[in-house]
Amino acid sequence: MEVVDSVDLTGRTCVITGASTGLGRESARALATAGAHVILAARNMQALQDAQQWIMAGRPDARTSLVALDLTSLASVRAAAAVLADLAPTIDVLMNNAGVMFTPFSRTSDGFEIQLGTNHLGHFELTRLLRPQLAGARVVMLSSDGHHMSDIDLDDPNWERRDYDKFAAYGASKTANVLHMVELNRRYADDGVHAVAVHPGVVGTSLARHMTREDFGALQAMAADNRDRGAMLDTILTPERGAATQVWAATTAELDGAGSVYLADCAIRSDVAAYAMDGGRAARLWEISETLSG
Ligand SMILES: NC(=O)c1ccc[n+]([C@@H]2O[C@H](COP(=O)([O-])OP(=O)(O)OC[C@H]3O[C@@H](n4cnc5c(N)ncnc54)[C@H](OP(=O)(O)O)[C@@H]3O)[C@@H](O)[C@H]2O)c1
C-alpha cells in the first residue's frame, strides 16, 4: 500500500493471475485501492469472490472483476482470454503471478509437467492470446530466487526422460519465467510492451502447502553455500510486504526503458543467473512453448 501511496491508477486496467490469495490478492488490493480496474483471475471462484469482498472492505468503490482461469488447462486459458477480450480491450498491467511450488509429480490436462505447465506454459499461452490488448503494457512475471536451483532442460522440459526432482522442476519453471520476459521484450518491443521479472522475497503464503519439514531443511542446506540466500530463508515476509516489489514493478516509471530486469526489494538486482537471461535460450524456449501450446 505504501508503494501506491501517491499513485493514481484511475482509468488503468490490471489483470492479475492467482489473485485469490497470497501475493496476487495483496497486489490486487493495492492496485484497486490506487484506482485501477483490477481483474482477478484464478481457478477457485469462491476464493476470488472472498478476495473481492476483502478489497472492497478497504475501498468500497474499488473496481474489480473476476475471471475463471485454470492454468493447468489450455482450454481454460483460452476461455479466460476470450472473456478478457470483452472485459478489457486495453490492458495496462498483466501480472503473471499464479504459481505452484514443489508439487508431487503430475501432469496438466495437456500433458505438461505441473510446475512448468502452471508457472510458465499457461502464462505463456495467456500472454500470447492477450497480445492485441497489451500495446504499451507492463508485464510483470513472478519469478523467484528459486530459479538459482535449476536451469530449464530445453531438451526435456516436461520431465519425460529424467527422474522427477520437485526442487529442480520449480527452479526450471522460475527460470522459464525470466526467459519468457527476455524474449517477450524482444518480440513485443514494437508494441511498446515492457516485461520485468520479480523475486518477491520469502513470503508466508500458501505456496508452501506442498512442503514438508524435511523439504525446508533441504532448502536450507542448498542455501548454506550462499550466506545471503541462507539468511533470507530466516526472514519470512508478510504477504503485504512481499507484494511490494511486484506492485512497484507494475506502476513505477523508474523502470521505463530499463529492458529486461530482475527485481527484488523494489530495485533492480544483478544476481540473476546468466542462464536465465540468455537471449538464445529465451528464443528457443519461446519456440518450444509455442509448439507445446499448439
Ligand atoms: N511466497 C514466496 O515466498 C514466493 C517466493 C518467490 C516467488 N514466489 C512466486 O510468487 C507467486 C505467487 O505466490 P504466492 O506466494 O502468493 O502463492 P499462493 O499464496 O499459493 O498463491 C498462488 C495463487 O496462484 C493460484 N494458482 C495456483 N495454481 C493455479 C492454476 N492452475 N490456475 C490458476 N491459478 C492457480 C492459486 O490459486 P489456488 O488457491 O486455487 O491454488 C493462488 O491464487 C508464485 O508465482 C510464486 O512462485 C513466491
Side-chain angles (χ1 to χ4, degrees):
M1 296 295 281
E2 276 174 35
V3 170
V4 292
D5 211 16
S6 54
V7 175
D8 182 4
L9 298 176
T10 308
R12 305 290 179 89
T13 301
C14 307
V15 176
I16 306 178
T17 70
S20 56
T21 188
L23 295 167
R25 186 177 64 171
E26 282 290 348
S27 301
R29 179 169 72 119
L31 297 174
T33 302
H37 173 206
V38 179
I39 303 175
L40 295 84
R43 56 188 166 177
N44 181 335
M45 202 37 86
Q46 182 59 56
L48 280 175
Q49 283 165 2
D50 292 348
Q52 189 175 43
Q53 291 304 317
W54 178 72
I55 291 166
M56 289 177 70
R59 177 159 176 173
D61 64 342
R63 193 162 165 231
T64 55
S65 304
L66 310 180
V67 171
L69 166 72
D70 184 348
L71 291 159
T72 65
S73 156
L74 290 177
S76 171
V77 172
R78 288 171 188 144
V83 172
L84 285 166
D86 288 337
L87 203 56
T90 302
I91 296 171
D92 300 285
V93 172
L94 171 62
M95 196 178 275
N96 286 333
N97 164 87
V100 290
M101 182 175 78
F102 306 155
T103 42
F105 183 76
S106 64
R107 294 201 177 277
T108 68
S109 49
D110 304 285
F112 310 142
E113 183 279 315
I114 197 100
Q115 298 194 74
L116 187 74
T118 306
N119 299 352
H120 169 62
L121 290 166
H123 283 125
F124 177 84
E125 180 67 353
L126 182 69
T127 308
R128 194 180 68 78
L129 291 170
L130 295 181
R131 184 175 187 175
Q133 294 134 271
L134 286 178
R138 182 76 54 87
V139 179
V140 180
M141 309 285 192
L142 261 290
S143 178
S144 168
D145 270 4
H147 81 273
H148 287 285
M149 286 191 285
S150 179
D151 192 1
I152 180 167
D153 184 340
L154 294 176
D155 296 320
D156 186 21
N158 278 309
W159 295 83
E160 280 149 350
R161 296 193 289 276
R162 293 168 292 155
D163 288 340
Y164 182 63
D165 176 330
K166 64 185 178 183
F167 296 113
Y170 181 68
S173 74
K174 293 287 126 182
T175 294
N177 294 145
V178 182
L179 291 169
H180 187 194
M181 163 192 70
V182 170
E183 186 63 4
L184 196 77
N185 280 330
R186 196 180 72 78
R187 292 198 181 225
Y188 290 14
D190 290 347
D191 300 349
V193 174
H194 181 203
V196 297
V198 168
H199 169 63
V202 178
V203 191
T205 68
S206 53
L207 190 70
R209 71 185 94 170
H210 297 287
M211 279 182 81
T212 61
R213 203 168 278 280
E214 290 72 36
D215 288 341
F216 200 76
L219 270 188
Q220 279 179 317
M222 274 186 234
D225 60 345
N226 181 322
R227 202 177 300 154
D228 291 343
R229 268 187 212 109
M232 273 186 61
L233 284 176
D234 297 331
T235 311
I236 312 283
L237 303 177
T238 62
E240 184 172 10
R241 287 183 68 93
T245 300
Q246 65 206 75
V247 170
W248 178 76
T251 56
T252 183
E254 283 177 53
L255 293 172
D256 289 350
S260 293
V261 284
Y262 183 75
L263 310 171
D265 292 329
C266 296
I268 297 174
R269 268 255 301 267
S270 58
D271 64 338
V272 55
Y275 56 67
M277 297 290 276
D278 183 298
R281 294 176 62 72
R284 202 169 147 222
L285 175 64
W286 187 285
E287 283 160 19
I288 291 167
S289 305
E290 259 180 351
T291 304
L292 288 171
S293 53

